[in-house]
Structures are given as structure tokens and as C-alpha cells.
Amino acid sequence: MQKIKAAVVGLGFIGPAHVEALRRVPTVDVIGALHFDLESSRQKTQELGIAKAYGSFEEVIADPEVQVVHICTPNAMHFHQAKAALLAGKHVVCEKPLATTIAEAEELVALAAQTGLVNAVHFNIRYYPIVRQMKVMREKGELGDIYSVVGTYLQDWLFKDTDYNWRLEPEQSGESRAIADIGSHIMDVLEYITGVRIEAVMADFNTVHKFRKKPLKPVETYSGKMLTPEDYQDVPINTEDHANVLLRFSNGNRGVITVSQVSAGRKNRIDLEISGSVSTFHWCSESPNNLWIGNRDGANGQLMRDPSLFHVEARSVVSFPGGHNEGFPDTSKQLFKEVYQAIAAGKQPEHPTYPSFADGLRELIICERIVESNKKQAWVTV
Amino acid sequence: MQKIKAAVVGLGFIGPAHVEALRRVPTVDVIGALHFDLESSRQKTQELGIAKAYGSFEEVIADPEVQVVHICTPNAMHFHQAKAALLAGKHVVCEKPLATTIAEAEELVALAAQTGLVNAVHFNIRYYPIVRQMKVMREKGELGDIYSVVGTYLQDWLFKDTDYNWRLEPEQSGESRAIADIGSHIMDVLEYITGVRIEAVMADFNTVHKFRKKPLKPVETYSGKMLTPEDYQDVPINTEDHANVLLRFSNGNRGVITVSQVSAGRKNRIDLEISGSVSTFHWCSESPNNLWIGNRDGANGQLMRDPSLFHVEARSVVSFPGGHNEGFPDTSKQLFKEVYQAIAAGKQPEHPTYPSFADGLRELIICERIVESNKKQAWVTV
Amino acid sequence: MQKIKAAVVGLGFIGPAHVEALRRVPTVDVIGALHFDLESSRQKTQELGIAKAYGSFEEVIADPEVQVVHICTPNAMHFHQAKAALLAGKHVVCEKPLATTIAEAEELVALAAQTGLVNAVHFNIRYYPIVRQMKVMREKGELGDIYSVVGTYLQDWLFKDTDYNWRLEPEQSGESRAIADIGSHIMDVLEYITGVRIEAVMADFNTVHKFRKKPLKPVETYSGKMLTPEDYQDVPINTEDHANVLLRFSNGNRGVITVSQVSAGRKNRIDLEISGSVSTFHWCSESPNNLWIGNRDGANGQLMRDPSLFHVEARSVVSFPGGHNEGFPDTSKQLFKEVYQAIAAGKQPEHPTYPSFADGLRELIICERIVESNKKQAWVTV
Amino acid sequence: MQKIKAAVVGLGFIGPAHVEALRRVPTVDVIGALHFDLESSRQKTQELGIAKAYGSFEEVIADPEVQVVHICTPNAMHFHQAKAALLAGKHVVCEKPLATTIAEAEELVALAAQTGLVNAVHFNIRYYPIVRQMKVMREKGELGDIYSVVGTYLQDWLFKDTDYNWRLEPEQSGESRAIADIGSHIMDVLEYITGVRIEAVMADFNTVHKFRKKPLKPVETYSGKMLTPEDYQDVPINTEDHANVLLRFSNGNRGVITVSQVSAGRKNRIDLEISGSVSTFHWCSESPNNLWIGNRDGANGQLMRDPSLFHVEARSVVSFPGGHNEGFPDTSKQLFKEVYQAIAAGKQPEHPTYPSFADGLRELIICERIVESNKKQAWVTV
């Protein structure tokens, strides 16, 4: 069996998660990786058991063996790397956000279309099996017309003013933080499940910590909590710790989302409540294998992630039988399974089952409108 | 022992709950009640084991035995009845909303102050023991500076367009429905627990069912679901089924609330998440005896309603030991216990522990600003 | 309306709960009460707003006004008081256990039958609305043939060796403690819900604290946790803190129960899982308004206490609509409602809906067989 | 980097789970696999992306490249294959049960000791991060002296009499079914967490379905539910569907476990409640990333799987930060990580951190005593 050869670029928090997930897909071989430079790449590939260590991004895309590039670098690098990889004829799986401006993202979508190469954005939340099942149930009419969505995505890894990370710096991460980082996931999955489009937004941002203490050595995402604070400098913070956004949907009904990175005790919790004219769906990422189904006229339902209980259309993203919990690492595996089926077929399908660059662009547009709404303190059409 | 003599006016859904709760307070005697007219009052008092049946509100306030009047009638009648009762020298416990306009409520607050009579509004949610405990914990600094509040109050008793009730009619219920009926509870309790004030609001209302089918016979609150639909007429609906409201607090931070009466499977669910600089509190009325306490640096906490685990200041509203669940009916009992202590002392205390007419006015003001914000589609200062 | 006149005897922990619950039943008037002696009765009746304070049990049953006697004294007094009350022509509601020996209980059952007087035992757990609903669902075949029951009743009020109470003394409480006090509730409700009979038992008792520190002043049930330990004496403990009991049912299938009074963090938690050939029921007293229904072939169900969702036969024990949680205090109200309907009718019905002295006897028999099994370390037939 | 070369034998339900988990360990290379014969091996290795397909077990152990053999075949084959693999100088990871008799397991333990080869049994439940954390907390005294253990392991994949699988046949699976298959997991993890030993057992087995309908074509574990029943034959069933077992521990205290494979709605649920003299631990595999900690004197705790909140000694089995749920597939990865560290070091360590053949033997002894107790209907010493 000839496996598809992938290289992963950026080995901070999420890059190694890509590597591990890719190895679970029988058709993929992770042949090489790049961290910052040759030395750091050598150290990381040694730890991760990857054969080749690259010294630069140019080396990665110049390697004729590499068929697919996974971009897991800080946000500001996504556009240039994705563009270069496409131009080098590589399929690209990019971390979100796809780019830091709409213009860049539009360029990538156009370029990807031109080349016909497979392009995907790692909106992995779609691949919790219950999320796929909700989408299929909605398509079958089991939710009905969407009345209301209430979504929250809460974290506490930036709870203290001593918590620091590159994501706090607009030049690396972009103008919006909580909305772009985690709000984008929740909006992507919301549109994915419900099938309605967000047509207008009204946002209210808040920066709880106007200043933070920046450490004098580098810290990986999520790992700050494990450090002992030592030497810091005070830096002003311009991006939001917390935001509420009102939403209006294409069907005339409404929603609201809340994101926070300063919510003590909520480590990384997505909570979605979607009410429709037939039933209500409630799902929370802390109990990702369960779907609550609200009914007006009978008992509510509690559907477990179990292929034998799922609609046929949702079974392909489930690997294990009911009661054998799957979690965060499994979402990337399922996403990559679908992406690599397309790669095996040689080109981006017309209607990909996985999130594409077009979806990455969509989230950038929504996020930019949200930022604009917050500035204007008024409703903005998406 | 000389008991304090009370009369209850309005015996639909909540009036009998007042009667039952009052009987649990050792110092109170419910001596009489009024429903619509003498005949309906006779039937209801017979069912409820109450000695006197009144033929009119005038009779109630003319009865020299009556010391306290509980007003449980449709919203539009509250103002006139409360005013008349105060003028007749009776202490008054009024259902929320206190009135249908701010002016009326202000008049009642002023009149009550003049008379010195005890005045209370039945914001019973404050009397879930966990709510009191949250307030006390906040006062002791265990929550810290308030960062964010996310509150939802969801019901499904008006889910279908065949669900009908007087609360759907603005002339009986007021200009706002979901916000006034259930949003007021959540805002009252939010300010009560956190100690911050709502200073500005930005609202988005939605009427999911633009028309409803009105039945041709009367239906009590919450009991519509048990009827077999028969003869209906289509009526246009002008009040909101669903609303999202952004909030700004006196400390500069933010919140959001969602109310819905069309959320299948959510029978009557209040869910509050309050994040502060020290911890996060989460409480849900479906599991009213538990408080979740979010921590950044250690295990989260799960505090049960247990007097031995509560702060001393919160113990008085707990009747039963830990593990002996208390619920909705107990909240009214605890509220009335505190109100009747004031009545026993003869006058409204300077700082009542229970919600007073001033609190009723406060909610009317907030609700009116929310309605205004929805009309203007802009932030409105409270 | 002529109300039925009741007296309550024993005003420790559960007596005042009877008083409060009785007041919620429109047809009942609690006219008097007895604590230990006239002085303590005066103090307690004053607190509870009860008109008459009795000086002795003889006075209670000699009072011609009293129609019903509620016996809430320590276990060892139940038999004599119940017997005397019946002989005096009073209806009797007795706390569990009905007596401390089978012979005594048999005498009471026979005497009650002779007199025709209404007799009830306060197995209040049956009156959680979900419990009634489970019974009705089982009767309708929605559970199927019973395969397995797993029940636990866990408390922590005797967790420490400094926790002390009259229930620790066999001469007041009987030879068994955890099984008799809380195990009896779980076995009663188990047979009630499932309709199968316990036919054999195999028990394993354990006394974790072989010695306890007895305080030198009296302590009411559940209130020990609120005392500051001071003066104690070491006393040996002969009754079980913890027990596991295997059960065999009349249909050939099996169960197991666990009771503990030394389980930290479990304040008063009953947890029942009943598997049948059609579905599984799970109910926990910490979330008493919810029933989990396990299904093999579809989503599991989560039925809320909501009269509109209940079978008609189970609705009478529900007072409030869905989402308005009811709890422990409400169970006694519902039990008394049914008992006082019988009293109003003048005699014990042939098939009472409430737990009768016969049910009290049944629990004594099962408990005695469990004690015997523990001694023999072998299965014993009930 | 030279990777360690592994072969997997048996590719039904659990073999592919080994393959996938092994690939997540950077130091391992799965070079080949065997299913039944060459043809089925070719098909399965093709699906799984494995290079070599073996035609027989002899081929596997004759392959000089293979350093480690994973035995994932039906129970009756474990002994012979493990023995042959050890004799061929291969390290062995065996599925549980290690063998079908104590004598066989003793022979394997002795042989493994002689060879010094690494030997492990796939008791993966130990590798839920919360389980490791509970063990470490117990070692640090945070649980105290063990008072009580209540464990249940419930499934529904054999709920119907039309459910069939090789595990129902004693000649393939052994004399005990539910206890050996799933009870062994719960007893292993119970001793692992608590540090106490099971010293005596008293069992009660039940076969709910005395006859089952055996399909005329092969069915993989857990996948029966997805078949359409067609052609069956009635076969008598001699192994238990359901069992309760009382336990006595080395510290004098007690426990009880329940296992069932006929519990509708419980797909694969382990639930453990361990009470000690300091606190209570509750963990359920359906919510595997949470630990409930019961306290007598303060709020209970809810500890999430989060390396920053764990004891240092428990962090190595956690791959992802708090809130990024890990599940069943991750347990095998963590187990294999520790096993392959030993393999990299060249021999079985004196005190392996992973479950060894000695642990496999231990479970066989306990299970055999349980079977004996059930036959004798009496307590049996382990």
C-alpha cells in the first residue's frame, strides 16, 4: 500500500496533535516536520518519531516526497505558508484562522480553486460524532425550524493577569482574540449543525485584564498554567478576554454566543443549545459523547455516541462502539480521514464533507463583522 | 399565640402556592381569599380549606381582620389592588411585576414608604438556599470582582402556536412578555447575587409565533399543556417569545441573558453562570440544591444545600438537612418567613432582607429600558 | 369546612416535618403536639404555632378532639404508642420502623384490622412523584420483567467517630441501624416500584467505628454536624455503619443494596437502578425530579416530573408544573393527602394507595431476615 | 530513530484498537498482523495500512523482525500464543484474560520471569487519567482508610436473546462470562486504586436468558447490534448475564460489585464509588474526565482531567490539557507508552507501572474464586 506523505509545520500545541491524529489514519505517512529551525525541528521530530527534520518552510515545500502540508504555526504565518504550499502543488490542511484578513483568505480560496488541490481548515469540533449526528438529524427535520441558538465557549487558561501567550499579541494572532480563536469554532459549528447562516451581528467585547505580565521566555498554548512565574514585564492588552455577540439568522430567528478566556474552572468548554420547532438539542464538549434532546410532549432524550443508534449518514465518524468514549484527539483523526479520502482521489471535491478554505474565509468574514460591530456598537450585516 | 391574618387575592396558578407556603409559616393564618367573584371564591376556598370567601377586592380590604393582602391577580390589576390595600392599611405582598408602568410602581413605592407598611414582591428565586449562599459568598469575597454573567430562563409552555394564556395579551400582561415574566426574575436575582447593577442594556426580541390560536375557554398558567385543543381563533401576537439582552454592569464588565418560552424540553429552567476574579458560580434551577464553584488552580467545587456547609448568614433560609432536597414551593415559604418577621415587628425595615416594592420598581425600570432598546436597536442606559 | 384534627407526638427532626406537611393538606388541622413533657411541648408548640401542648402521651390519646395521632418518637416507643392510640380509637400515622420486633408489628397490624382505623407508615420515598410514575410505568409494562436492581442509600452524618445520636443505641433504635433506618426505605420502595417480592437475602454488615464518642448532651438527628465537640465518653458500637445485601426476587432474578452512614459527601442519597426486559429506570434522590430511562435500541429518555408528561394515574401526587422542583418536604404532603382521604372516608380501604401497617410489618420481616443472614453468613429466606 | 517492531495477532474488535494506539506511540512500528489466515490477514492489513500479512501464528513468532507480539485473539488461545511468543523470545502484550485457567496463567508468569521478557496484560481501564490520579491521591492519604467500594460495570450488547457472540460459548471464552470479561476490569482497577486486596468473595450469578438464538454467520464483539437477525438456532446458555459479588478487603472492610450485560441503555458503563476515612471518590467511565470527591465538612470536589491540576506522579498519562477530553482509545496509548518504555530498556522492570502477567494471574484467581463461591453459595477466600 502506497501511503500519502504528509509534513507538519509548527510543533507547538496543535502540531503534535496533527501528527498523532494522522498516524491513526491508515493511508497516511507523516514523513517530516518543521518547528522553528533545524535544531528545534530535530529535537521535536526525535521526540515524535518523525523521520525528517526540516530547516525551513522552503525546504518543506521543496521536498518532492511531501504531498500534503499541515500548517500549525501562529496565525500570522498561515496565509504565506498556505499560499506557498499551494503554489508548490501541495495539498494543504491549515489551522484556523485561515488568514488574518479577508483579502488574504479570499486569495487562498481562489488559488486553491485554481489549483484544484485539496484544502481544509482544522475546524475539528465538527468531528465530534454527536455534532455530525446533530447535523444529520437537522437535515432529516428532527430539529425543525431553528428558533434560537445559545452558545458559550469558556476557558480559564488566560484567567490571571500573569497568564501569557503569543495569542495575546495582535501582530501574531490578529485583531480579535477570544472571538477569532474560540468564537470562530462555535460559529462554524453552529452554521454547520443548523444550516442557517448568520446574517447580522451585534457584539460587545471586554478586556478584563487591561495589562498583563509578559514572561521573558516562550510559553506554549495551554502550558502557561504549568510554569512558575518569574520575570515579567507589564504589557497593555488590546484584544478581548470576553465577548457576547447577538446573532440574526437567515431564517429570521436569533442567537447569542459568549466566549471567555477568563472563566475560572471552565478549562475548554463549548456548550450549545439549539432550539427548533420540533425539538431542542443540547451538547457540551465536557460530555462530548452525549446529546440531550428536548421535547415538549414526552420524555426528553439522551442519545449516546453509539454507531448502532446513529443515523447511517453519521456513522462514518464514529470509530468505537457506544460507551467507549471518544474525545478531542479523535476529532482530528476523523477530519483527516475525510480529507485524505479526497487527497487519495486527487482533488478537492465539489462539496467536501470537511471544512474547506471557503469555510475558513467564512469565519474570517463573520469575525471581522463582529469586530466592526463592537467598534460601532451597532448591528452589522455579515 | 396570636397569628398574623392574611388574605390571598387571585387563585389561579400562583395564588394557591401562596396559600400553601403561608401555612408552612407558623405565625401566619390565611383567613380568607378571593378569586374572581363570590361563586368562584367559594369553590376555590372550599378546595383550599380557607374559611372566608370574598365577593370582591373591596370586601377583602374592608375586612378588619385582614392584616396582609397577597396580590396574585393578572399583572394589569396589581397596581390598583396594591394601592388600595396600602390605603386600607394592609401590608402587601405583591406578585411580580409590581405594576405595568414605572410611574405606577413609583407611586406604590412612595405610598408604601409614607404608610410604613410592609411591602414585598414575590421574587421567590432569591429564596433558593443556594442563591442566598451565593450572595453571602460573594459578600465575603469568594467570587471576586464580577467578570461575566450568562443567564438563561427557558420554558416550553408556549412552544406551540396552540398554546394560549392571558399572559399573551398585552392589555392583561403588559407590553413585554418573556422579559417581564421570567427575565425580571433572572435580572433580580443576578443583581441580588452579584451586587453589581445593570447600567445599560441592548436587546433583541423575537416573536416566533406571529399568530397563535386562542381557545374559546379560559386556561390557567402552565395548565394549557393538559388541554385537548378544540375551538380556537387566530390572534396576532405582539409580545416576545424569545429575547437576548446584552448587559453592562456598574463595575464595567458585561453579561447577557436569554429568555424563551418556546424552548422544547425546558419546562422552567433558570441557568446562571457568574464568573468573577476569584471563582465562577454555576447554578441551575433544575438541580436547585447544588452550586458548582469553578476554580482555576484546584478541583472545582460542588456545594450542596446543607446548613452545616453553609455560611451562618445563609442558614436561616434552609429548613432541612443536606440531601433532603428543597424546591420551588419552599422558596415562597422562606420569603414569607422573612416578610412576616417584618410584619410581626410592625413595619418595613430600613434594609429588608426580602424583595420590596423598590425592587419591583427596579425590575420595571430595567424591563422598560430593555423594551426601549429593542425598539431602538441600540444600547439604552438604565 | 370541618377539618380533620391531628396531633403530632415527638418533635425532634421528623415531627416538625409532619406538622409542616399536614398544614399543606387543606383538610387537616394540627391541633396539638407532644414533645417529651409539658415544658418541652410548650416550647416546641410555641415555635411551631400549634395551639395545644400536651404533657404526656396519655393526654394526647385522651383528647376527644384528636382524630389522628402521628407518632414521631424514637423507634422503641412506636409499638406502645401506636397500640394505645388505636385502642383509644385514633387513626395512626407512624414513623418507620413500625415496631422493633415482628411480633409487635403483627399485633399492630391485627389490631388495626380489628378496629378498621386508618393506619399508615411514613414511607415517604414512595411519594416522590417520579417513584409513583415508575410504579405506574412498570404496571403498564414499560419496564418489563425485572432483571436486576442495584440500590444504594448513602449518608455521611455518622461519618466521624465523634458523630453521635440516639439511633446508635440498640435499646432505643433496635438491633440494626443502617439497614433498619435507611435500608428499609430502599427495600420498601424497591418492592413498591417493581412489584416483585424479596424472597431471600444474603447480608454483610460492617461497623467501621467500633467505638464512638458519645456527647454528654442530647443531639437531634442530622444536627450533630452543627455542634462543636466538647465532652464525650467512648462507647462501643454494635450496630452496622455499612451493609451490603444480596437479594433474590420472586421472579427468580436478583438485586443488591448498599447502605452506609459513613460515606463522606453523600448527605442523604438514594440511588436506584432497575433493569428490566424492556428498559432500565435510574432515579437518584439528589435529582428527584428526573427519571432516566435506558433503552437498548434508541436514545435513552430523561423524564421530568411534569404532570403533563406523566401517566394519568401518577398525576395526583404532583402539585406543581414541570420545572418547578418538588423535594423532600413535598413527599410527606402527598402521603398525608392520600391518608387523610381515607380518614375522611372513615376507615382503612381494602387496598390503600399509601403504605400501611402491613407494609411496616413487611419491612420488619425483611430487616430481621437480613440481620439473621448477617449472623449466619448465609442466604436466608424471607 | 530505530523504532520497536510489533505484530498484532487477532483483528476483531480490540486488535485494530491496539494497532491504532500503537501508532500513537512515537517509538513503535506495527510491522505486521495476523487475523485468521493469510487471506483474512491480507484483507485486514490492507484496511489498516500494515505492511505484512501473516498466514499463521507460527509465521509471526518466526519473523526475526518482530520484537513484540500483541495477542488479541479469543480467550482460549491466549495461553498457547503467549507461551509460544515468550519461548520465541518476543515481548508479549496479552489481552485479558491472560489464560482460561490459573495453572496456565501461573505457567506464563513463571516463564515470563525466566525469560525476563516484557509482559503486560491490557487492563486499559487503569489508564484513564482520573484512575491514575485516584491511585496517586490514595497513596498520598487523600482517600484515607478504605471503608467501602461499590462498583458496577453494565452493558447492553447482550440484552436480547437474539444477541450472540463467541463470548457466550464457554469453550472459547471460559466458564464465566460477565465476571471474567468485565468484572475482571473492575476488580483490577479497584485493587489498583485502593491498594487493598480482595480477600474473600460471595457471589450470586444469574443467567437471564437461559437460551439464546445463535446466528449462522460470524459476528464481531459489539457489532451484533448492527445486524439484521435472520437465521438462528436456539442454544442453551451456561454463563452469567448478570452477577453481584460481595467483597471483603485486606483491611477488614467491604465492597460489592455488580456486572451485567443485559442492562438496557448502559452501553459500557463502569461506575466506581470508593469511600474512605478522609473522602469519597466517585468516577464513571461515561464521564471519564471527571472525578467527584466527597467531603464531609466542605463542598464536594469535581476534579477535571487536567495535567495542571493533577499530582505530578499522574501527569505522564495525560496528553492533552484540561477540557480537551480523552477517552477509551487514549487509555491503550498510555498503557503502551509505559510498556514500550520497558521494552526500550530491554526487560520487565521489577515493579512495572503497567499491568503485568502477574496481574493477569491475580484476576484469574479472583474470578475462579467467584465462580466457586457462586457454586457453593458461600463465602470463599481468595
Side-chain angles (χ1 to χ4, degrees), chain B residues 309, chain C residues 156-160 163 225 264-265 267, chain D residues 294-298:
Chain B
L309 303 178
Chain C
D156 75 356
W157 67 288
L158 296 173
F159 178 64
K160 298 181 180 179
D163 296 322
K225 292 190 290 184
K267 302 310 170 194
Chain D
N295 297 313
R296 158 63 186 269
D297 290 328

Side-chain angles (χ1 to χ4, degrees), chain D residues 165-182:
Chain D
N165 183 274
W166 63 263
R167 290 175 188 272
L168 290 155
E169 300 174 5
E171 52 282 13
Q172 285 200 71
S173 187
E175 198 178 359
S176 160
R177 175 168 30 102
I179 282 291
D181 276 4
I182 57 179

Side-chain angles (χ1 to χ4, degrees), chain C residues 151-349:
Chain C
T152 61
Y153 197 147
L154 308 177
Q155 302 181 322
D156 75 356
W157 67 288
L158 296 173
F159 178 64
K160 298 181 180 179
D161 67 356
T162 50
D163 296 322
Y164 205 83
N165 182 274
W166 62 263
R167 290 175 189 271
L168 290 155
E169 300 174 5
E171 53 280 14
Q172 285 200 71
S173 187
E175 196 178 0
S176 161
R177 176 168 30 100
I179 281 292
D181 276 6
I182 58 178
S184 58
H185 271 301
I186 212 168
M187 288 177 295
D188 177 69
V189 85
L190 176 168
E191 289 194 339
Y192 178 73
I193 295 168
T194 63
V196 297
R197 305 274 283 180
I198 297 168
E199 292 204 332
V201 294
M202 166 74 217
D204 190 30
F205 283 19
N206 194 24
T207 304
V208 165
H209 295 303
K210 269 74 178 175
F211 287 84
R212 285 179 181 264
K213 298 181 185 305
K214 179 177 180 171
L216 302 175
K217 60 175 179 172
V219 187
E220 278 174 14
T221 302
Y222 289 112
S223 62
K225 292 190 290 184
M226 304 194 66
L227 291 181
T228 311
E230 320 180 283
D231 292 339
Y232 290 109
Q233 57 174 320
D234 273 347
V235 294
I237 300 297
N238 303 310
T239 54
E240 75 283 6
D241 289 320
H242 170 220
N244 294 311
V245 188
L246 303 178
L247 308 173
R248 288 199 185 145
F249 300 131
S250 45
N251 71 348
N253 291 323
R254 318 299 163 85
V256 62
I257 63 165
T258 298
V259 294
S260 173
Q261 297 182 314
V262 292
S263 183
R266 299 302 188 192
K267 302 310 170 194
N268 188 54
R269 176 189 172 99
I270 304 172
D271 191 282
L272 270 180
E273 177 135 347
I274 306 173
S275 299
S277 59
V278 173
S279 67
T280 297
F281 289 171
H282 177 253
W283 177 77
C284 177
S285 67
E286 288 191 356
S287 190
N289 295 284
N290 285 289
L291 171 61
W292 181 89
I293 303 166
N295 296 314
R296 158 63 185 269
D297 291 327
N300 295 321
Q302 210 177 28
L303 181 69
M304 291 178 69
R305 182 204 53 79
D306 184 325
S308 74
L309 303 179
F310 269 26
H311 286 304
V312 170
E313 297 89 336
R315 285 184 191 165
S316 63
V317 298
V318 187
S319 291
F320 289 90
H324 297 76
N325 272 268
E326 300 179 51
F328 175 83
D330 304 273
T331 58
S332 301
K333 176 183 83 170
Q334 301 295 352
L335 190 158
F336 296 158
K337 264 171 51 183
E338 296 195 346
V339 171
Y340 280 79
Q341 278 166 16
I343 292 171
K347 67 174 170 47
Q348 184 83 348

Side-chain angles (χ1 to χ4, degrees), chain B residues 105-344:
Chain B
E106 285 173 338
E107 189 180 335
L108 289 177
V109 169
L111 181 60
Q114 269 182 333
T115 62
L117 290 162
V118 169
N119 56 93
V121 176
H122 188 240
F123 281 121
N124 66 306
I125 308 301
R126 293 192 189 189
Y127 285 85
Y128 278 106
I130 291 287
V131 170
R132 179 66 63 100
Q133 169 72 0
M134 283 193 279
K135 175 185 190 282
V136 174
M137 289 175 75
R138 184 267 302 166
E139 288 170 346
K140 291 183 183 294
E142 298 172 22
L143 176 57
D145 188 30
I146 307 302
Y147 283 174
S148 163
V149 176
V150 179
T152 61
Y153 196 147
L154 308 178
Q155 302 181 323
D156 74 357
W157 69 287
L158 295 173
F159 178 64
K160 298 181 181 179
D161 67 356
T162 49
D163 296 322
Y164 205 83
N165 182 275
W166 63 262
R167 290 175 188 272
L168 289 156
E169 299 173 5
E171 51 282 14
Q172 286 201 71
S173 188
E175 196 177 1
S176 161
R177 174 165 35 96
I179 281 293
D181 276 4
I182 58 179
S184 57
H185 271 301
I186 213 167
M187 288 178 295
D188 176 70
V189 85
L190 177 167
E191 290 194 339
Y192 178 71
I193 296 169
T194 64
V196 297
R197 305 275 283 181
I198 297 168
E199 292 205 331
V201 295
M202 168 72 216
D204 190 30
F205 284 17
N206 193 23
T207 304
V208 166
H209 295 301
K210 270 75 178 173
F211 287 83
R212 285 179 181 264
K213 297 180 184 306
K214 180 178 180 171
L216 303 176
K217 60 176 180 172
V219 187
E220 281 175 10
T221 302
Y222 288 113
S223 62
K225 292 190 290 185
M226 304 191 68
L227 290 182
T228 311
E230 318 179 284
D231 292 339
Y232 292 108
Q233 57 174 321
D234 273 347
V235 295
I237 299 298
N238 304 310
T239 54
E240 75 283 7
D241 290 318
H242 171 221
N244 294 310
V245 187
L246 302 178
L247 307 174
R248 289 201 184 143
F249 301 130
S250 45
N251 72 347
N253 291 323
R254 318 298 164 85
V256 62
I257 64 166
T258 298
V259 294
S260 173
Q261 298 181 313
V262 292
S263 184
R266 299 302 188 192
K267 302 309 169 193
N268 189 53
R269 175 190 173 98
I270 305 172
D271 191 283
L272 271 179
E273 177 135 349
I274 307 172
S275 298
S277 60
V278 173
S279 67
T280 296
F281 290 169
H282 177 253
W283 176 77
C284 176
S285 68
E286 288 191 357
S287 190
N289 294 282
N290 286 290
L291 170 61
W292 181 88
I293 303 166
N295 296 313
R296 158 63 185 270
D297 290 328
N300 295 322
Q302 211 178 29
L303 181 69
M304 291 178 68
R305 182 205 52 81
D306 184 325
S308 74
L309 303 178
F310 270 27
H311 286 303
V312 170
E313 296 88 336
R315 286 185 192 163
S316 63
V317 298
V318 187
S319 291
F320 288 91
H324 297 76
N325 272 268
E326 299 180 52
F328 175 83
D330 303 274
T331 58
S332 301
K333 175 182 85 170
Q334 302 294 352
L335 191 157
F336 297 157
K337 266 171 51 183
E338 296 195 344
V339 171
Y340 279 79
Q341 279 166 16
I343 292 171

Side-chain angles (χ1 to χ4, degrees), chain A residues 147-150 152 154 156-160 163 202-210 224-225 242 244-248 252-258 260 262-267 269 273 275-280 282 292-298 300 374 377-379, chain B residues 147-150 152 154 156-160 163 202-210 224-225 242 244-248 252-258 260 262-267 269 273 275-280 282 292-298 300 374 377-379:
Chain A
Y147 283 175
S148 162
V149 176
V150 180
T152 61
L154 308 177
D156 74 358
W157 68 287
L158 296 173
F159 178 64
K160 299 181 180 178
D163 297 321
M202 167 73 216
D204 190 30
F205 284 17
N206 194 24
T207 303
V208 166
H209 296 301
K210 270 74 177 174
K225 292 190 290 184
H242 171 219
N244 294 310
V245 187
L246 302 178
L247 308 174
R248 288 199 185 145
N253 291 323
R254 317 298 165 87
V256 62
I257 64 166
T258 298
S260 173
V262 293
S263 184
R266 299 301 188 193
K267 302 309 168 193
R269 176 189 172 97
E273 177 135 346
S275 298
S277 60
V278 173
S279 67
T280 297
H282 177 254
W292 181 87
I293 303 165
N295 297 312
R296 158 63 185 272
D297 290 328
N300 295 323
N374 180 59
Q377 294 290 310
W379 282 95
Chain B
Y147 283 174
S148 163
V149 176
V150 179
T152 61
L154 308 178
D156 74 357
W157 69 287
L158 295 173
F159 178 64
K160 298 181 181 179
D163 296 322
M202 168 72 216
D204 190 30
F205 284 17
N206 193 23
T207 304
V208 166
H209 295 301
K210 270 75 178 173
K225 292 190 290 185
H242 171 221
N244 294 310
V245 187
L246 302 178
L247 307 174
R248 289 201 184 143
N253 291 323
R254 318 298 164 85
V256 62
I257 64 166
T258 298
S260 173
V262 292
S263 184
R266 299 302 188 192
K267 302 309 169 193
R269 175 190 173 98
E273 177 135 349
S275 298
S277 60
V278 173
S279 67
T280 296
H282 177 253
W292 181 88
I293 303 166
N295 296 313
R296 158 63 185 270
D297 290 328
N300 295 322
N374 179 59
Q377 294 290 308
W379 283 96

Side-chain angles (χ1 to χ4, degrees), chain A residues 122-382:
Chain A
H122 188 241
F123 281 120
N124 66 305
I125 308 302
R126 293 192 188 188
Y127 285 85
Y128 278 106
I130 291 287
V131 170
R132 178 67 62 98
Q133 169 72 0
M134 284 193 278
K135 175 184 190 281
V136 174
M137 289 175 74
R138 183 266 302 165
E139 287 170 345
K140 291 183 183 295
E142 298 173 22
L143 177 56
D145 188 31
I146 307 304
Y147 283 175
S148 162
V149 176
V150 180
T152 61
Y153 196 146
L154 308 177
Q155 303 181 322
D156 74 358
W157 68 287
L158 296 173
F159 178 64
K160 299 181 180 178
D161 67 356
T162 50
D163 297 321
Y164 204 83
N165 182 275
W166 63 262
R167 289 174 189 273
L168 289 155
E169 300 173 5
E171 52 281 14
Q172 287 200 69
S173 187
E175 197 178 358
S176 160
R177 175 168 31 100
I179 281 293
D181 276 4
I182 57 179
S184 58
H185 271 301
I186 212 167
M187 289 178 293
D188 175 70
V189 85
L190 177 168
E191 291 194 337
Y192 178 71
I193 296 168
T194 64
V196 298
R197 305 274 283 180
I198 296 168
E199 293 205 332
V201 295
M202 167 73 216
D204 190 30
F205 284 17
N206 194 24
T207 303
V208 166
H209 296 301
K210 270 74 177 174
F211 287 84
R212 285 178 181 264
K213 298 180 184 306
K214 180 178 178 170
L216 302 176
K217 59 176 178 171
V219 187
E220 279 173 13
T221 302
Y222 288 114
S223 63
K225 292 190 290 184
M226 305 193 67
L227 291 181
T228 312
E230 317 179 285
D231 293 339
Y232 291 108
Q233 57 175 320
D234 273 346
V235 295
I237 299 297
N238 304 311
T239 54
E240 75 282 7
D241 289 319
H242 171 219
N244 294 310
V245 187
L246 302 178
L247 308 174
R248 288 199 185 145
F249 300 130
S250 45
N251 71 348
N253 291 323
R254 317 298 165 87
V256 62
I257 64 166
T258 298
V259 293
S260 173
Q261 299 182 312
V262 293
S263 184
R266 299 301 188 193
K267 302 309 168 193
N268 189 53
R269 176 189 172 97
I270 305 172
D271 191 283
L272 271 180
E273 177 135 346
I274 306 172
S275 298
S277 60
V278 173
S279 67
T280 297
F281 291 169
H282 177 254
W283 175 78
C284 176
S285 68
E286 287 191 357
S287 190
N289 295 282
N290 286 289
L291 170 62
W292 181 87
I293 303 165
N295 297 312
R296 158 63 185 272
D297 290 328
N300 295 323
Q302 212 179 28
L303 181 69
M304 291 177 70
R305 182 204 52 82
D306 184 326
S308 74
L309 303 178
F310 269 27
H311 286 304
V312 170
E313 297 88 337
R315 286 184 190 163
S316 63
V317 297
V318 187
S319 291
F320 288 91
H324 296 78
N325 273 268
E326 299 180 51
F328 175 82
D330 303 273
T331 58
S332 300
K333 176 183 82 170
Q334 302 295 351
L335 191 157
F336 296 158
K337 264 172 51 184
E338 296 195 344
V339 171
Y340 279 79
Q341 279 165 16
I343 292 172
K347 67 177 171 45
Q348 184 83 347
E350 206 174 341
H351 299 293
T353 54
Y354 51 84
S356 67
F357 279 13
D359 296 298
L361 168 60
R362 171 81 185 149
E363 289 320 308
L364 277 176
I365 294 169
I366 298 175
C367 289
E368 199 163 297
R369 296 299 176 266
I370 287 174
V371 170
E372 185 188 337
S373 165
N374 180 59
K375 282 182 188 155
K376 290 189 176 163
Q377 294 290 310
W379 282 95
V380 170
T381 303
V382 174

